[in-house]
Amino acid sequence: MAHVRRKFVDIHRSQGSPIAEEAIGRIAQLYAVEKEARGSPPDRRAELRHAHAAPVFDDLERSLVTCPPVVPRS
């Protein structure tokens, strides 16, 4: 996830992209779920991920799939 986040940070810094900014915020939400789950038994981690991370991930995926394609500047 860190590699993906880094790409969005690079795009946001260089272009001020609101799409990248939104993605960074959603990834931060995923990190927050992982922080909450840290140290919990495996079944509790799975429960937290299913309840909290899955909807955020699904929204992130949906927003990226529906955003218009962008041609990089050359």
Side-chain angles (χ1 to χ4, degrees):
M1 187 63 68
H3 291 87
V4 171
R5 182 185 176 282
R6 188 173 305 123
K7 295 296 182 183
F8 284 115
V9 168
D10 291 345
I11 291 168
H12 181 63
R13 284 182 182 160
S14 67
Q15 300 173 13
S17 168
I19 295 170
E21 183 177 20
E22 180 181 342
I24 293 166
R26 290 178 192 226
I27 292 169
Q29 291 175 342
L30 294 172
Y31 281 142
V33 172
E34 288 302 308
K35 183 177 181 181
E36 181 182 347
R38 191 176 302 130
S40 297
D43 58 332
R44 177 68 179 141
R45 286 195 311 263
E47 182 181 301
L48 286 169
R49 288 174 180 150
H50 180 73
H52 301 287
V56 173
F57 188 83
D58 291 343
D59 287 344
L60 174 61
E61 181 182 34
R62 196 172 13 264
S63 69
L64 293 175
V65 168
T66 59
C67 73
V70 177
V71 178
R73 297 177 191 161
S74 49

